[in-house]
């Protein structure tokens, strides 16, 4: 083995970069599974009244506990899950929606339930 085989030749003196495994990248706008997984999921919990007042009433559940769902699908979701989706209130979405991150446990659980790839 050449003496500098373990070095990054672009930057002499530095060790070669270590290959790491990164989680798969998921595009939320071609998924939407988390918004179409459970009528119990999009619940309000940490929002203040001012945040909740900005969400259009047509998207809020009758008991005011969370987002209104049609079956398990959030009423603010448009498009086809797994193809192309969008949130109708993205800038106003509740905290629980903001907390869901592409590739996290909730994302993977919802993707699996819809038969979408998880790796």
């Amino acid at each position: 083995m050449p003496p500098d085989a373990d070095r990054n030749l672009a930057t002499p003196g530095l060790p070669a970069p270590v290959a790491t495994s990164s989680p798969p990248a998921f595009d939320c706008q071609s998924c939407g599974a988390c918004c179409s997984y459970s009528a119990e999921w999009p619940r309000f919990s940490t929002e203040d009244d001012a945040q909740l007042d900005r969400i259009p009433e047509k998207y809020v559940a009758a008991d005011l506990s969370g987002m209104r769902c049609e079956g398990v699908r959030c009423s603010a979701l448009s498009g086809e899950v797994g193809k192309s989706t969008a949130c109708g209130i993205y800038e106003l979405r509740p905290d629980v929606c903001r907390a869901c991150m592409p590739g996290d446990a909730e994302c993977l659980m919802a993707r699996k339930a819809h038969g979408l790839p998880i790796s």
Side-chain angles (χ1 to χ4, degrees), residues 18-106:
V18 177
T20 58
S21 169
S22 60
F26 296 114
D27 175 23
C28 297
Q29 291 182 320
S30 65
C31 182
C34 63
C35 303
S36 188
Y37 175 71
S38 169
E40 301 303 315
W41 184 77
R43 294 286 162 227
F44 302 143
S45 59
T46 60
E47 297 81 6
D48 61 32
D49 288 341
Q51 284 176 283
L52 296 175
D53 287 345
R54 288 191 298 267
I55 298 173
E57 188 177 327
K58 69 180 183 176
Y59 296 124
V60 177
D63 66 1
L64 307 179
S65 63
M67 297 298 290
R68 185 175 62 78
C69 289
E70 297 160 2
V72 297
R73 182 183 171 115
C74 178
S75 61
L77 182 67
S78 64
E80 185 178 348
V81 173
K83 303 263 186 213
S84 177
T85 59
C87 176
I89 60 162
Y90 186 78
E91 293 300 321
L92 307 174
R93 69 195 186 283
D95 293 340
V96 68
C97 301
R98 293 173 188 276
C100 188
M101 292 287 126
D104 70 8
E106 291 78 14

